[in-house]
Amino acid sequence: VTSKSDCEINPTKDLLIYTHPGGDSIFEPDLEDLYWSKLRPGSATITDKLQIKTTTLDKICDEHEFCPSYLKLDIEGAEVLALQGSSHILANHIICLRIEVEFATLYKNHEASFSEIFNILSSHGFVLINLDLAINSFIPFSEFHASKLFGQLNGGDCIFVKNPNNLSELSNVQLLDYALFCLLNNIEDLAIKVLLDCSSVEPFVNRFKNQDLSINLRLALLEKKVASLFFSLKDKPRFSMESFREPWAKIFGAEWISHGDYYRKYPLS
């Protein structure tokens, strides 16, 4: 997937096949970069190339009448192009994203992507909430490091959501999806804030009556994730089991569950 203008100019592109599993890209590696020369030596050898058709995410969604709430992009340097071809769904449908970004240049004739990704998403009303960094997000200058944060920050996943202070135009289903995304992406505090803000008049779940199976499954997942969060906090400073009675009742319109009921209802939690 790429931008609309790029599709018009390049209806096909060469996908370069890397020795690194999952590393195939439309961009050539900059073998002098520390990522390839030090962190992943030998993984950027090009073994083959495939000619692929280009399209945009807007076109795919339009052709299939698909309106996604979430977008996950990890396409080896082509994330900016994909966003440039997603202006309609970013403006009208997408509410949360997880996207791989580069803070250093990994490919030839290709700039580190973070700043442009940040600008594109900011223009569509998204805010950067968090970074999800792995061990290969950092390129060490030597083997002598004791901290989890070391060396040069190379890349990682950025978590973007629609501005939490401007959610009034979201539908009930979008608010449900927003809260679930936050719960599933280590932004539990924002999820609970959104759910409580939406429960000022009546319990949040009362917004969904006589819904289809997909909504009921999401509501069940929401209940399980919130219960798991609250139970994980019960022994932390400032909290007790009683701390969760009021927020649980506001969100779900039900009595807070006991230890025994929790483990019977969620045996694998």
Side-chain angles (χ1 to χ4, degrees):
V1 289
T2 186
S3 66
K4 183 178 179 180
S5 60
D6 190 40
C7 278
E8 293 170 351
I9 298 170
N10 301 297
T12 64
K13 283 184 180 288
D14 287 335
L15 178 67
L16 305 178
I17 308 302
Y18 284 48
T19 49
H20 169 48
D24 304 342
S25 177
I26 60 174
F27 299 106
E28 286 188 61
D30 179 358
L31 296 178
E32 295 182 359
D33 185 84
L34 290 174
Y35 179 79
W36 302 114
S37 63
K38 191 165 187 176
L39 195 62
R40 295 192 182 279
S43 63
T45 302
I46 305 301
T47 62
D48 200 358
K49 65 180 179 181
L50 302 174
Q51 191 173 75
I52 56 174
K53 292 181 180 179
T54 60
T55 188
T56 68
L57 286 174
D58 276 345
K59 184 177 181 180
I60 292 172
C61 292
D62 180 59
E63 290 177 345
H64 294 276
E65 299 181 345
F66 179 51
C67 302
S69 295
Y70 307 144
L71 183 59
K72 168 71 166 75
L73 287 175
D74 181 353
I75 47 178
E76 308 307 314
E79 289 82 8
V80 169
L81 288 171
L83 289 180
Q84 289 171 340
S86 307
S87 58
H88 178 76
I89 59 173
L90 288 174
N92 297 283
H93 303 299
I94 300 295
I95 54 175
C96 307
L97 298 95
R98 172 181 281 265
I99 182 169
E100 187 177 57
V101 302
E102 305 149 16
F103 297 101
T105 302
L106 306 183
Y107 304 98
K108 293 180 179 179
N109 303 313
H110 183 268
E111 296 296 323
S113 62
F114 172 75
S115 61
E116 192 160 3
I117 286 172
F118 181 88
N119 290 336
I120 291 172
L121 293 177
S122 295
S123 72
H124 285 285
F126 291 88
V127 295
L128 173 62
I129 293 292
N130 210 342
L131 290 174
D132 194 353
L133 304 176
I135 188 68
N136 63 355
S137 296
F138 305 92
I139 303 172
F141 294 106
S142 77
E143 68 272 25
F144 300 103
H145 52 83
S147 170
K148 291 182 178 180
L149 306 177
F150 57 87
Q152 177 183 345
L153 181 59
N154 162 69
D157 280 0
C158 281
I159 311 299
F160 287 88
V161 300
K162 285 288 188 179
N163 191 326
N165 298 317
N166 189 26
L167 301 181
S168 59
E169 295 184 2
L170 296 190
S171 69
N172 289 334
V173 173
Q174 286 179 314
L175 288 167
L176 172 60
D177 287 343
Y178 191 102
L180 280 173
F181 179 90
C182 291
L183 287 166
L184 294 166
N185 285 274
N186 302 315
I187 324 171
E188 298 97 337
D189 55 330
L190 176 55
I192 300 304
K193 179 188 184 302
V194 169
L195 291 169
L196 290 175
D197 287 349
C198 293
S199 303
S200 58
V201 176
E202 63 175 346
F204 177 73
V205 297
N206 287 1
R207 298 175 178 227
F208 306 92
K209 296 178 180 178
N210 302 317
Q211 295 293 332
D212 61 25
L213 178 61
S214 68
I215 298 298
N216 290 331
L217 288 173
R218 277 180 270 184
L219 289 171
L221 178 59
L222 179 75
E223 182 182 304
K224 180 177 181 179
K225 296 302 293 184
V226 173
S228 298
L229 170 64
F230 286 173
F231 262 76
S232 73
L233 294 173
K234 62 184 172 59
D235 296 322
K236 302 290 185 182
R238 307 188 314 276
F239 290 111
S240 68
M241 284 291 286
E242 191 62 26
S243 305
F244 312 111
R245 185 175 303 279
E246 182 178 347
W248 184 266
K250 281 187 175 181
I251 297 168
F252 298 105
E255 285 292 317
W256 174 229
I257 53 184
S258 66
H259 276 85
D261 288 339
Y262 173 79
Y263 290 109
R264 278 191 292 270
K265 194 168 187 178
Y266 310 115
L268 298 179
S269 297

